[in-house]
Amino acid sequence: MPLIDKGDIKRAIKIGACNLYHGCCHNFIYENSSEILSVLYKSAFFILQAKYFYETNQYIGSKIDLEKHLDGIDKEILNICIDRKKLTAMDETDLVLYYDKIISWSSNLLQSY
């Protein structure tokens, strides 16, 4: 089997960002489920993991270890992912900020990759 190359990783980031963006928008418009939003934040870890690997050629397998290497919005998204259970206790008004963060972040990834 051929090895995974940079193009494959870039496609994985873009596909992950597309799926995340679509899932977040759909959930926000039709379901507005904090449980679904929590799961969507969980999936952001895999995108961040691939993004870091794409940028550094270094694979990091755990959220805690990856968090040490991130900054800015990537680190913020990962920290929400790590503590995502708190999302399920929030009301709709508080969740809007978290929808905005992840939709904006995934949108920026789509434009970048």
Side-chain angles (χ1 to χ4, degrees), residues 3 9-10 13-14 19 23 26 30 32 37 41-42 53-54 58 71 74-75 77 87 90 94 104 108:
L3 295 175
I9 300 164
K10 189 175 182 178
I13 296 166
K14 190 164 188 166
N19 290 337
H26 181 88
Y30 298 109
N32 205 10
L37 183 60
Y41 266 98
K42 181 180 181 181
F53 184 74
Y54 182 81
Q58 182 181 3
D71 56 17
D74 287 347
K75 187 172 189 168
I77 294 292
L87 296 173
M90 292 183 180
D94 294 332
S104 295
N108 287 333

Side-chain angles (χ1 to χ4, degrees), residues 6-25:
K6 289 283 249 189
D8 296 325
I9 300 164
K10 189 175 182 178
R11 273 189 300 283
I13 296 166
K14 190 164 188 166
I15 290 168
C18 283
N19 290 337
L20 183 59
Y21 181 87
H22 175 80
C24 288
C25 290

